[in-house]
Amino acid sequence: PRKRLFFNPFYVDEKVFKKLDIKRKEIAIKLKLNYNIIKNRILTGSFQRDSLASDLTKAKWQKNPELLINIIDKLDRDKFLLILAGPRRHYIINKLKELNIPYLFVGNEETIIKGKDDIIENNLSDITINYLYNLIDLYIITSKSEGGPKAIPESVLTKTAIISTNVGFAEDLLSYDCIYNDISEAVELINKICTNDKFKQNIIKNNYLKVSPYYKYDQFKKRIDKIINGTLN
């Protein structure tokens, strides 16, 4: 029965994932990135694992990296730069190289070039991921199937603009204006966010007002208590 159903997005620490009062150049220095490469670019981000663990040359279908590649391929390459981070990005990096699409990988790319599993070496800390959210202009989710995705609350808590397929709890947590259905809608939405600052700030504000209450620890604990009590009674 519906009365026995509970909505409880998994917890993301709002004390770690937050907006930082720090300039892009300072973040670049902390992350050991060449600031000259990024300073005049619109930075889009993707920090997920999207290669199969059993075969790193193949895509993890749930994450749908092919869609991300197709979207990025439609953007102005002189203006946009894709920032990648996290382990098992082998598939997307190989495809980006084939298409000559510019990107910047934050981590040790040598392991990827050698085709080795980098699940430990390129698994970044939450603090580093928070710096990355504060570095980029926009986060893009292209997944087909998700239990989350975790990137939604992380992006929103850092007050980073985000667009997403209608997957997992995207529809529950994000403004309707952030959800797209196909490549053309995604490209149109990205260009609108990056050229219309009022629109961008509105969706960031609306997302934060909607999402932040779920990630206050006391509220999260109350929801857990309610769920436990509800299943026992």
Side-chain angles (χ1 to χ4, degrees), residues 46 89 98 114 118 121 128 136 150 188 224-225 231:
S46 171
R89 310 308 308 268
E98 286 179 18
K114 292 178 180 178
D118 60 345
E121 188 168 3
T128 299
I136 64 174
K150 187 181 177 185
E188 182 180 354
I224 293 294
D225 289 341
T231 55

Side-chain angles (χ1 to χ4, degrees), residues 43-152:
L43 305 181
T44 58
S46 171
F47 313 142
Q48 64 184 9
R49 300 176 197 171
D50 48 25
S51 295
L52 287 178
S54 58
D55 186 346
L56 295 167
T57 65
K58 294 182 179 179
K60 189 175 183 179
W61 71 266
Q62 296 93 330
K63 299 296 185 180
N64 199 11
E66 296 96 336
L67 178 56
L68 178 59
I69 293 165
N70 289 332
I71 291 170
I72 297 297
D73 192 33
K74 300 291 185 183
L75 300 176
D76 188 332
R77 299 187 187 190
D78 292 327
K79 294 181 180 179
F80 289 87
L81 179 65
L82 178 62
I83 305 296
L84 298 174
R88 295 179 181 164
R89 310 308 308 268
H90 299 60
Y91 176 84
I92 192 168
I93 285 177
N94 289 334
K95 289 296 181 180
L96 292 170
K97 286 180 177 178
E98 286 179 18
L99 296 170
N100 199 30
I101 297 175
Y103 72 92
L104 181 62
F105 179 72
V106 181
N108 184 354
E109 195 171 346
E110 190 63 29
T111 310
I112 296 172
I113 293 171
K114 292 178 180 178
K116 295 181 179 180
D117 194 348
D118 60 345
I119 189 64
I120 295 176
E121 188 168 3
N122 283 322
N123 193 20
L124 305 178
S125 69
D126 284 349
I127 292 174
T128 299
I129 295 294
N130 186 58
Y131 277 123
L132 286 168
Y133 280 116
N134 278 270
L135 177 75
I136 64 174
D137 298 289
L138 172 71
Y139 194 90
I140 304 174
I141 292 171
T142 57
S143 299
K144 291 181 179 179
S145 176
E146 286 277 4
K150 187 181 177 185
I152 288 179

Side-chain angles (χ1 to χ4, degrees), residues 27-42:
I27 297 176
I29 292 171
K30 286 182 178 291
L31 297 177
K32 298 180 180 178
L33 303 178
N34 185 342
Y35 177 66
N36 290 326
I37 294 176
I38 64 174
K39 68 177 181 179
N40 295 319
R41 307 292 283 274
I42 299 170

Side-chain angles (χ1 to χ4, degrees), residues 164-183:
S164 177
T165 49
N166 192 5
V167 67
F169 54 37
E171 192 173 46
D172 298 297
L173 295 183
L174 292 178
S175 165
Y176 176 79
D177 290 329
C178 298
I179 296 175
Y180 65 93
N181 296 301
D182 54 37
I183 297 170

